[in-house]
Amino acid sequence: MKKGIIIINAYSKLEHALNQSIRLKEEFLRLGVEIDIRRNDFFAAYVDDDGRLKSRIDYDFCVYLDKDKYILLMLEKCGMTLFNSYAAIEACDDKMLTHILLSGHVPMPKTMPGLLCYDDRERVSDSTVDAVISELGLPLIVKTCFGSLGKGVYKAETREQLAKICDLLKCTPHLFQRCYGEPGKDIRVIVIGGKVVAAMERCSRVDFRSNLELGGVGKATEPSDEIARACVKAASVLGLDYCGIDVLFSGNEFAVCEVNSNAFFGGIEQVTGINVALQYALHIRKKVYGE
Ligand SMILES: Nc1ncnc2c1ncn2[C@@H]1O[C@H](COP(=O)(O)OP(=O)(O)O)[C@@H](O)[C@H]1O
Ligand SMILES: [Mg+2]
C-alpha cells in the first residue's frame, strides 16, 4: 500500500493551513496514495539516550507543511523522503539567505542585511540610517528575515520612519531592500517539479503589500518566458520540489522578491481554476513511486 504523511504546524489555527493538507490528501487518495495528516506535536523524531536519531514514523514520504526545522532535519537524517527537503525549506524561511543563495542566478532588488543588535538599550546610529538611505534611496523596504503573509514587511517613506523601523527591528534578523516596481503589485508563480504550473497577478488598492491575506486581489496571468525561466531557475537553485515565488515588475523588467517553500495554494487555485494540489500530488507520486 502506498502511504504518506502530511505534517502541519503544531499550533497553527489558520484555516488555509488545514485546507492545504485536506486538499492534498483528497488528490493523493484519487491517485491511490493513502495519507495521514498530523500536527507537528508528537515529536516525530528525537536524539535518543544512546546519541542516535530516532524516528517514530514509517511512511514512503512526508509532505512537510511546516517550517519548524529541527524535526524536519531529523526526519531527513533518518532517511525520510521529504517534500520539501530540509535545505530547501531553510533556504526559503530566511529571506536574506534566499537572496544570498539566489545571487548571480536571477534578478533581485538591491538588498542589504540589517545589522543585528544584541542589546535592546542600544540605539541605531545615524550613520547606519544614512548609509542605508544613500545605498537604496527613499522610499525603501525593510523586512524581518523570518515572516510571511506580509507581516514584518515595512515601507519607509522618510528618514524618520526608517530610523523608527530600524529601532524596532534592531534585535531581530532583518534586511533593507530597494522599493521596486508598481506599489501593491506582483506576480505569484507556482513551480512544481521544475515547471511553472500556475501564476496570478496580485494587486492591492489598500496596501503596498499585495498579499491576498492583506486585501490583495488576484487574477490569472501567463508569466513572460523570462519570468517563467527565472522562477524555474530559482526553484532549482534552492532545490525546491514545490514553491510559490513572488516576482515584482516594472515595465518589462522584473525582480524576484521572495520564494515561499510552503506557499498556500488555495487562493491561486480559486483565481486560476488550476488544480495545484493535483499537480503536486502527481509530482510526488512520480518521484517516490516512479509512476
Ligand atoms: N522590494 C520591494 N519593493 C516593493 N514591494 C515589495 C518589496 N518587497 C515586498 N514587497 C511587497 O510586499 C509583499 C510582501 O513581501 P514578501 O517579501 O513577499 O513577504 P511575505 O513573506 O510577508 O509575503 C510583496 O508581495 C510585495 O507586494
Ligand atoms: Mg510573499
Side-chain angles (χ1 to χ4, degrees):
M1 185 181 35
K2 302 185 177 86
K3 196 154 185 194
I5 182 169
I6 298 178
I7 293 186
I8 61 176
N9 183 261
Y11 296 95
S12 175
K13 293 195 175 57
L14 279 179
E15 211 178 307
H16 288 341
L18 192 60
N19 285 347
Q20 184 102 338
S21 53
I22 292 170
R23 279 284 298 114
L24 270 174
K25 177 171 175 161
E26 253 170 37
E27 298 301 339
F28 273 118
L29 281 177
R30 283 199 197 118
L31 298 177
V33 182
E34 286 207 22
I35 293 288
D36 286 336
I37 299 175
R38 302 221 28 203
R39 281 195 180 269
N40 203 356
D41 58 0
F42 62 104
F43 302 99
Y46 53 96
V47 179
D48 208 350
D49 291 321
D50 62 3
R52 289 170 196 274
L53 284 178
K54 298 280 160 60
S55 158
R56 288 185 215 277
I57 59 173
D58 183 19
Y59 291 90
D60 303 333
F61 64 90
C62 168
V63 184
Y64 201 79
L65 299 184
D66 197 358
K67 297 189 212 166
D68 199 340
K69 64 182 183 182
Y70 304 118
I71 292 201
L72 179 67
L73 179 56
M74 288 191 285
L75 288 176
E76 191 165 279
K77 282 184 159 285
C78 288
M80 177 60 71
T81 304
L82 291 169
F83 297 93
N84 285 303
S85 70
Y86 170 80
I89 290 183
E90 193 190 32
C92 295
D93 193 26
D94 179 339
K95 291 182 166 78
M96 189 66 220
L97 184 58
T98 312
H99 287 298
I100 296 169
L101 294 173
L102 288 182
S103 58
H105 296 289
V106 297
M108 289 177 285
K110 183 170 179 180
T111 304
M112 307 199 307
L115 308 175
L116 200 54
C117 172
Y118 299 103
D119 183 346
D120 197 36
R121 292 163 301 183
E122 289 287 344
R123 59 179 293 280
V124 180
S125 69
D126 289 345
S127 63
T128 300
V129 176
D130 290 338
V132 172
I133 294 175
S134 96
E135 290 284 343
L136 302 175
L138 283 170
L140 60 85
I141 303 291
V142 191
K143 302 182 197 183
T144 56
C145 290
F146 302 92
S148 49
L149 311 178
K151 285 181 257 167
V153 180
Y154 303 82
K155 188 182 204 175
E157 307 267 1
T158 64
R159 191 186 185 287
E160 291 65 40
Q161 284 176 2
L162 178 61
K164 272 198 187 132
I165 298 168
C166 286
D167 192 56
L168 179 75
L169 298 184
K170 63 184 181 234
C171 297
T172 308
H174 61 285
L175 61 82
F176 302 105
Q177 193 164 72
R178 205 189 285 291
C179 190
Y180 190 99
E182 299 180 41
K185 273 196 180 180
D186 69 2
I187 301 177
R188 161 60 62 90
V189 181
I190 300 283
V191 178
I192 299 176
K195 293 197 182 80
V196 171
V197 305
M200 68 176 161
E201 190 174 315
R202 302 186 299 185
C203 178
S204 176
R205 289 175 194 279
V206 295
D207 203 288
F208 73 95
R209 297 162 297 180
S210 60
N211 303 67
L212 302 186
E213 295 78 7
L214 297 175
V217 176
K219 72 169 199 263
T221 189
E222 186 76 35
S224 67
D225 288 350
E226 289 77 18
I227 291 181
R229 259 200 302 276
C231 290
V232 167
K233 180 75 183 177
S236 129
V237 168
L238 300 176
L240 291 149
D241 286 284
Y242 167 90
C243 63
I245 303 185
D246 298 344
V247 181
L248 302 163
F249 57 91
S250 167
N252 285 332
E253 307 279 294
F254 68 93
V256 170
C257 160
E258 195 207 4
V259 183
N260 300 276
S261 59
N262 297 40
F264 291 132
F265 52 65
I268 201 164
E269 282 196 328
Q270 233 169 33
V271 165
T272 62
I274 294 168
N275 188 335
V276 174
L278 172 63
Q279 296 305 317
Y280 195 14
L282 281 168
H283 168 71
I284 291 174
R285 188 177 71 168
K286 180 129 208 258
K287 205 161 161 182
V288 176
Y289 304 108
E291 56 183 54

